[in-house]
Amino acid sequence: MDISVMPSSLQVKTSEGCTEIGLPAEVRLIPSSCGGLQYVPGDGLHLRLQAQAGFSTKLISVFNQSSQAQDCYTFYCQSCGEVIIRDRKLLRVLPLPSDNWGTLVGEWCCHPDPFANKPLHPQENDCFTGDSFYLVNLRSDLLQPRLELAPVVTHHLSSENHFKLKPKTNTKVICKRCKVMLGETMSSETIKFYMTEIVIQPSERNFSIIPRSQFVQSIIAQCLVELSSARSTFRFSIQGHDSKVYILLWLLNSDSLVIESLGSSKNIKKFSLLEDISKADSISALNAVKVLYQPCIKSRNKELASSWESDISVHSLTLPSATCLEVLLILSRNNATLPPSLRYMNSFQVAFLKM
């Protein structure tokens, strides 16, 4: 087997023929840096190379990329593109304090906590951003309440805002078109929208649907990077809105570059609801974060999840339960694309979340 390394490709020659692996235009290899070349049975070729990426790896904050206080914005359901809130003018976009801010206030104040029992609810033209959600004021003049025979009072919004609320026994906010859970009602005037379910864009911009897998990966990866940078937190517990823990995540690094040809993964089943099948044969290079993960569904890793839950260095991210399962599916599929020898680190599974 002869291996040729060129700046834009790798070429493998055998007695059976020649295979050339091309790289995206923005990525270049340094052939003289090649080392550690070996063939691992069941894996294939392993080698180390220095690479140069010709595009910016600077992250755009997930908390600031969508909502900036200036113009009118439209809220869309990410899954189907339905307009949820149209032409909302945002005068203030502010980050919420961490979950334990009340405890910190108590430590710093020498007098009774002035913020005790005072929830932070946005006003009509506010948008508050949390770790994985937006808080938005629901203008009461848009509500058209309607009583049903069931003991639950249901509010159906006008055609401008396509979701329905069940604020008593069920706090879910559901997209009227695709029935996906978008968030929860926090009060009669405040809604929590999860970042994985909502796209916020300036009203003059046309909406285009992003493949679900790509969008969810990007949001989760950017949340991990933001939180690790701001709070020096590298271990995360992904839990559903039902308070069940679904995944334990350990962020290893945030400066990876993943180059893949989706068409080469013939043994990996593709899910049309999660990815863009039309681009299955293209080669792409994307920034990514490398994570270790442990599934916690069906009582798996129960002891580890319990120990992480009591560890103050572990940060919890809450998402809709269905989205937690999507994230687990994405991690499992990404793990399956790695060579068998690189899929595990100790008892944890390895995956890359692309941004």
Side-chain angles (χ1 to χ4, degrees):
M1 182 182 293
D2 293 328
I3 313 297
S4 299
V5 181
M6 293 162 281
S8 60
S9 64
L10 288 169
Q11 192 177 79
V12 181
K13 291 183 180 179
T14 66
S15 58
E16 298 177 354
C18 177
T19 300
E20 185 169 351
I21 304 171
L23 300 177
E26 64 269 20
V27 178
R28 286 291 179 267
L29 302 177
I30 302 176
S32 60
S33 67
C34 181
L37 180 62
Q38 60 176 329
Y39 182 84
V40 179
D43 276 12
L45 288 173
H46 285 234
L47 69 157
R48 290 181 175 272
L49 286 162
Q50 289 184 359
Q52 297 174 335
F55 55 84
S56 173
T57 58
K58 183 179 179 181
L59 280 177
I60 301 175
S61 171
V62 69
F63 307 115
N64 297 324
Q65 64 176 341
S66 301
S67 305
Q68 295 181 2
Q70 45 181 341
D71 299 323
C72 289
Y73 286 84
T74 297
F75 292 56
Y76 299 91
C77 170
Q78 195 279 325
S79 297
C80 68
E82 182 77 333
V83 174
I84 306 303
I85 299 177
R86 188 187 301 276
D87 296 336
R88 173 64 65 88
K89 190 172 183 63
L90 298 178
L91 300 180
R92 296 194 306 170
V93 179
L94 303 173
L96 287 167
S98 60
D99 293 337
N100 60 343
W101 69 275
T103 304
L104 296 177
V105 170
E107 294 292 334
W108 281 94
C109 290
C110 59
H111 49 78
D113 184 359
F115 304 105
N117 301 320
K118 293 182 179 180
L120 299 175
H121 289 319
Q123 299 300 312
E124 182 174 316
N125 298 112
D126 294 344
C127 178
F128 293 167
T129 58
D131 295 337
S132 59
F133 60 87
Y134 304 104
L135 282 187
V136 179
N137 182 273
L138 184 66
R139 291 178 289 186
S140 58
D141 58 302
L142 293 180
L143 282 172
Q144 295 180 357
R146 186 182 70 179
L147 294 177
E148 296 185 348
L149 295 178
V152 178
V153 178
T154 303
H155 296 281
H156 289 277
L157 301 193
S158 66
S159 59
E160 180 184 359
N161 297 273
H162 297 277
F163 52 81
K164 47 189 176 181
L165 313 180
K166 296 181 179 180
K168 287 193 175 180
T169 61
N170 187 354
T171 62
K172 292 182 181 179
V173 178
I174 307 296
C175 175
K176 193 173 182 180
R177 176 190 285 177
C178 66
K179 309 303 181 184
V180 166
M181 178 180 175
L182 304 177
E184 300 177 78
T185 56
M186 305 303 292
S187 71
S188 60
E189 295 184 353
T190 303
I191 287 183
K192 174 200 288 186
F193 286 122
Y194 291 107
M195 291 181 177
T196 53
E197 316 307 317
I198 289 289
V199 175
I200 305 176
Q201 290 186 169
S203 296
E204 67 272 9
R205 187 187 305 173
N206 293 327
F207 176 78
S208 59
I209 292 182
I210 303 172
R212 179 68 180 164
S213 174
Q214 178 183 333
F215 182 80
V216 172
Q217 284 188 77
S218 176
I219 292 295
I220 298 298
Q222 292 184 62
C223 282
L224 298 182
V225 173
E226 288 281 347
L227 290 170
S228 64
S229 175
R231 303 180 187 177
S232 297
T233 299
F234 301 95
R235 290 187 296 164
F236 302 88
S237 171
I238 308 296
Q239 64 181 27
H241 68 279
D242 53 7
S243 299
K244 294 180 181 179
V245 176
Y246 285 78
I247 313 167
L248 301 178
L249 276 179
W250 199 326
L251 178 64
L252 284 189
N253 60 16
S254 55
D255 58 354
S256 297
L257 181 69
V258 174
I259 302 173
E260 64 178 9
S261 173
L262 297 178
S264 65
S265 303
K266 296 179 181 179
N267 61 322
I268 304 300
K269 184 178 179 181
K270 293 178 171 58
F271 296 86
S272 58
L273 293 178
L274 290 178
E275 58 190 324
D276 190 354
I277 299 298
S278 64
K279 297 182 179 179
D281 295 322
S282 63
I283 297 178
S284 60
L286 294 170
N287 295 311
V289 297
K290 185 177 182 180
V291 298
L292 305 180
Y293 74 96
Q294 287 278 22
C296 295
I297 57 174
K298 297 181 179 179
S299 299
R300 295 174 62 182
N301 301 299
K302 193 172 183 179
E303 292 184 3
L304 181 61
S306 178
S307 65
W308 278 38
E309 186 177 3
S310 59
D311 192 332
I312 60 173
S313 66
V314 177
H315 190 85
S316 295
L317 285 176
T318 301
L319 301 170
S321 298
T323 301
C324 293
L325 294 175
E326 285 183 56
V327 174
L328 183 56
L329 177 60
I330 291 169
L331 290 169
S332 299
R333 292 190 60 258
N334 287 351
N335 174 264
T337 63
L338 297 174
S341 64
L342 301 180
R343 293 177 186 175
Y344 288 87
M345 184 176 291
N346 297 328
S347 61
F348 283 81
Q349 298 182 65
V350 180
F352 291 86
L353 291 174
K354 295 180 281 291
M355 290 183 281

